[in-house]
């Protein structure tokens, strides 16, 4: 299988700008997850999709964050009016829709908000 | 509530030494899954192992071995004859059978020097 891919790998933006990240899961993986990782911490759950349905959202996902998976394949995560506190690594993971199968992660998008 | 504790923030060893990374977890669920992931400097989380709560058999994969003990709620990871390429941050994670998100520890940064 081709692994999970994310684009871009790095993004530098100025405070107040909007940014959008893309995640392409492993083919045939119905479930897709977004996590955020700040320096020195483990990844923290943001949201997840089963096919195109967004089933859960963390309280970390403020109103400035929105995620979509319109056709049940790739997903986008948009952050509006970025703040310096949004600087982090944004990780995407996918897994089969089978029990509690293993989540496989992409390389992440590192966001720096100046 | 679920919690994963990795008490060792940083470990430094010399090549060929054995090293054990500790992981202690808390959960009220009877069915759950434990994972170890490796995060090299490139940032991608690499899956290493998955263990369910009903399987306490220790596992060995090459230089890697895992010791799961439900009595002490621990899932420790040992690298035998460490190599420089083992340098990375290692994360322990937990998910319940009814859950959707991985709960990660804060990670242990392992540095192997020649």
């Amino acid at each position: 299988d081709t692994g999970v891919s994310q684009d871009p790998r790095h993004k530098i933006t100025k405070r107040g700008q909007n940014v959008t990240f893309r995640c392409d899961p492993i083919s045939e993986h119905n479930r897709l997850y977004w996590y955020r990782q700040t320096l020195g911490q483990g990844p923290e759950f943001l949201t997840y999709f089963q096919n195109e349905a967004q089933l859960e959202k963390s309280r970390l996902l403020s109103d400035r964050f929105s995620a979509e998976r319109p056709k049940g394949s790739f997903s986008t995560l948009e952050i509006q009016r970025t703040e310096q506190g949004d600087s982090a690594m944004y990780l995407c993971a996918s897994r089969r829709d089978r029990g509690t199968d293993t989540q496989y992660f992409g390389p992440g998008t590192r966001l720096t908000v100046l | 509530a679920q919690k994963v504790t990795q008490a060792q923030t940083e470990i430094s060893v010399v090549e060929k030494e054995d090293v054990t990374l500790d992981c202690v977890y808390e959960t009220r669920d009877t069915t759950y899954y434990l994972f170890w992931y490796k995060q090299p400097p490139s940032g991608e989380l690499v899956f290493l192992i998955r263990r369910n709560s009903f399987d306490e058999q220790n596992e060995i994969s090459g230089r890697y071995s895992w010791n799961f003990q439900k009595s002490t709620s621990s899932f420790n990871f040992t690298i035998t004859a460490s190599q420089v390429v083992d340098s990375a941050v290692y994360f322990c994670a937990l998910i319940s059978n009814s859950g959707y998100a991985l709960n990660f520890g804060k990670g242990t940064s392992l540095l192997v020097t020649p």
Side-chain angles (χ1 to χ4, degrees):
Chain A
D1 283 335
T2 306
V4 178
S5 62
Q6 292 186 246
D7 184 70
R9 295 291 306 276
H10 302 274
K11 178 70 176 179
I12 300 174
T13 190
K14 293 183 179 179
R15 190 175 53 183
Q17 298 294 306
N18 298 344
V19 295
T20 300
F21 309 142
R22 175 179 171 128
C23 170
D24 286 87
I26 295 171
S27 59
E28 300 176 357
H29 279 196
N30 294 337
R31 302 210 182 196
L32 186 148
Y33 300 78
W34 286 98
Y35 290 81
R36 183 173 72 182
Q37 184 181 20
T38 54
L39 200 62
Q41 302 294 317
E44 295 176 290
F45 170 77
L46 291 178
T47 187
Y48 97 98
F49 294 83
Q50 181 176 6
N51 298 313
E52 65 275 8
Q54 187 173 17
L55 296 187
E56 290 291 341
K57 293 194 292 186
S58 161
R59 59 177 174 76
L60 293 176
L61 214 65
S62 75
D63 292 344
R64 297 183 297 105
F65 288 69
S66 63
E68 295 182 342
R69 195 182 182 197
K71 296 183 179 179
S73 55
F74 72 91
S75 175
T76 58
L77 177 67
E78 180 183 15
I79 309 174
Q80 295 182 327
R81 305 181 304 281
T82 53
E83 302 173 355
Q84 288 185 328
D86 297 331
S87 295
M89 174 79 91
Y90 291 84
L91 293 160
C92 177
S94 71
R95 73 166 179 92
R96 292 186 179 92
D97 194 14
R98 181 183 69 189
T100 311
D101 209 356
T102 299
Q103 295 181 28
Y104 293 92
F105 285 80
T109 294
R110 184 170 295 284
L111 173 66
T112 302
V113 182
L114 302 176
Chain B
Q2 299 183 336
K3 185 178 179 181
V4 175
T5 301
Q6 296 179 255
Q8 304 151 308
T9 306
E10 295 180 354
I11 300 176
S12 183
V13 299
V14 177
E15 208 170 18
K16 298 184 183 177
E17 287 184 4
D18 299 346
V19 58
T20 295
L21 310 182
D22 297 333
C23 173
V24 175
Y25 63 92
E26 297 175 29
T27 181
R28 294 182 180 178
D29 296 298
T30 55
T31 304
Y32 53 89
Y33 299 84
L34 294 161
F35 300 80
W36 276 95
Y37 287 87
K38 173 182 180 180
Q39 189 173 44
S42 60
E44 181 172 354
L45 278 167
V46 178
F47 166 72
L48 296 178
I49 190 170
R50 161 198 170 97
R51 174 68 69 211
N52 75 56
S53 53
F54 296 107
D55 182 3
E56 287 192 72
Q57 216 172 13
N58 291 334
E59 182 156 339
I60 298 174
S61 176
R63 297 184 296 107
Y64 294 172
S65 62
W66 290 270
N67 183 357
F68 176 30
Q69 292 194 337
K70 285 180 74 170
S71 60
T72 55
S73 296
S74 65
F75 186 43
N76 296 338
F77 173 30
T78 297
I79 302 174
T80 303
S82 58
Q83 299 177 0
V84 172
V85 293
D86 296 327
S87 297
V89 181
Y90 291 85
F91 290 96
C92 182
L94 165 73
I95 188 170
S96 69
N97 193 45
S98 58
Y100 46 84
L102 287 165
N103 291 279
F104 285 87
K106 291 188 175 182
T108 296
S109 178
L110 174 65
L111 177 63
V112 182
T113 55

